[in-house]
Amino acid sequence: MFSKESLAKLDKVYFNVIIADETDVTIQSRNTGHFWYLHNIPNAEGDACVIFHKHKGSHPYHMHGRAGSVNKALRSIKKHDTWQLNGRTYRHKE
């Protein structure tokens, strides 16, 4: 379950917080308008979660990735926003 401490760290300036409870967090980036859904995965070590993402409210969610904590998920979301706002440049794997 997401701890009250980790939920309290949700940046309410950066995100519109739609739902935030022990098992689910739904937020919207104020920068891109994208929606994010974090679902808790029971883990003996803490707040592991699956990250889902959609570009518009009417779109379906798709899996974005996993994170070991809410804080790591939020960092991943902010990195995605930066990438999105900088023209979605791709890195080529060699």
Side-chain angles (χ1 to χ4, degrees):
M1 296 199 313
F2 295 134
S3 68
K4 289 182 182 183
E5 294 82 16
S6 64
L7 294 175
K9 292 180 182 177
L10 290 172
D11 184 346
K12 293 180 175 110
V13 173
Y14 194 91
F15 297 108
N16 291 319
V17 178
I18 299 166
I19 295 172
D21 63 29
E22 298 168 338
T23 57
D24 299 298
V25 172
T26 303
I27 53 181
Q28 181 185 23
S29 168
R30 293 180 193 265
N31 291 316
T32 61
H34 293 187
F35 292 85
W36 299 88
Y37 169 59
L38 311 177
H39 180 68
N40 180 265
I41 300 172
N43 183 341
E45 297 176 13
D47 294 338
C49 60
V50 179
I51 307 167
F52 296 94
H53 170 245
K54 64 181 177 177
H55 295 245
K56 295 182 181 179
S58 61
H59 290 179
Y61 280 103
H62 59 272
M63 188 169 166
H64 179 76
R66 296 176 184 262
S69 70
V70 172
N71 287 338
K72 289 179 182 177
L74 296 176
R75 281 196 304 265
S76 176
I77 291 167
K78 288 180 179 183
K79 283 183 182 179
H80 182 276
D81 278 4
T82 299
W83 172 76
Q84 182 76 32
L85 294 169
N86 287 327
R88 300 174 61 150
T89 56
Y90 293 90
R91 292 184 302 208
H92 296 283
K93 294 181 181 179
E94 295 180 21

